[in-house]
Amino acid sequence: MTVSLKQCRTFSFSDGTLKDEAERLVVWWYGPIEKNTRAESVPKIYVFFKPIDKNNNLGNVIERTTVLTHVGLLRIGSVWEKGVSNSRIAFDERTFPVSFSPGGWRIVSLDDLRKAGRSLYTSFHDEYYLPLERKQRSYLIEFDLPDGKHLLIPCTEFWVSGISG
């Protein structure tokens, strides 16, 4: 799959996060949050990336962990090279009418969708996003849309973006 990129504000991490990565990476998905093994430390989160070559072709998913506080800069679609991001995937922006009333939304996991025979897209493989022990899960907010379809947003993306009703 080839993507189009758009220049954006430049970001980097003062602690050197991603600076030693050999490839240019695009943030693809957020995984589960887990307790940091260091006492009194920020929780960690799995972040899934896809390598992106010089022709903007995407590779296979790779997983990294980082501290949860980094997610504000590690936005889905942001492209990182040697710890610096100055471009992102040029997504089409759309607005959806959603309801925050009871019954208008629910929390689901990728595992829930898989068990119900639903898939986000054909290239979405469980082995990349669901740890085998299934103790940790990636959750999404599912909104019902007026046309009978559903809008799925990773919970982490929803809260980091500051989406409000």
Side-chain angles (χ1 to χ4, degrees):
M1 169 192 249
T2 303
V3 295
S4 297
L5 299 182
K6 179 179 182 177
Q7 291 299 115
C8 66
R9 189 171 163 206
T10 300
F11 297 101
S12 64
F13 296 102
S14 59
D15 67 359
T17 295
L18 298 176
K19 78 174 181 70
D20 295 328
E21 292 292 334
E23 302 174 282
R24 187 168 61 143
L25 302 172
V26 61
V27 178
W28 199 249
W29 191 259
Y30 301 123
I33 296 170
E34 69 177 9
K35 183 177 180 175
N36 195 325
T37 55
R38 291 178 42 210
E40 298 183 26
S41 296
V42 175
K44 293 197 167 220
I45 185 168
Y46 288 90
V47 179
F48 298 98
F49 297 89
K50 283 195 173 195
I52 183 169
D53 69 17
K54 63 181 172 132
N55 297 317
N56 296 339
N57 295 306
L58 298 173
N60 293 324
V61 172
I62 59 173
E63 169 190 311
R64 299 289 184 264
T65 57
T66 189
V67 290
L68 186 59
T69 52
H70 284 356
V71 173
L73 293 181
L74 290 170
R75 302 298 303 275
I76 291 177
S78 62
V79 177
W80 293 82
E81 186 170 13
K82 299 194 184 328
V84 176
S85 175
N86 60 14
S87 63
R88 63 177 176 85
I89 293 177
F91 293 117
D92 291 335
E93 292 185 26
R94 297 183 55 196
T95 302
F96 296 93
V98 297
S99 171
F100 290 90
S101 299
W105 63 277
R106 67 199 91 9
I107 302 292
V108 297
S109 70
L110 293 174
D111 201 35
D112 295 334
L113 295 174
R114 183 187 59 78
K115 286 177 182 173
R118 297 168 61 199
S119 175
L120 296 182
Y121 13 82
T122 57
S123 64
F124 208 94
H125 302 289
D126 284 352
E127 64 268 20
Y128 294 139
Y129 304 97
L130 295 172
L132 292 176
E133 69 276 3
R134 304 243 193 263
K135 290 180 184 173
Q136 302 163 328
R137 301 169 114 186
S138 296
Y139 290 96
L140 304 103
I141 298 175
E142 180 177 37
F143 291 98
D144 297 324
L145 298 177
D147 62 2
K149 294 182 180 179
H150 304 276
L151 176 64
L152 291 164
I153 302 172
C155 286
T156 305
E157 178 70 11
F158 182 85
W159 297 118
V160 168
S161 297
I163 296 172
S164 63

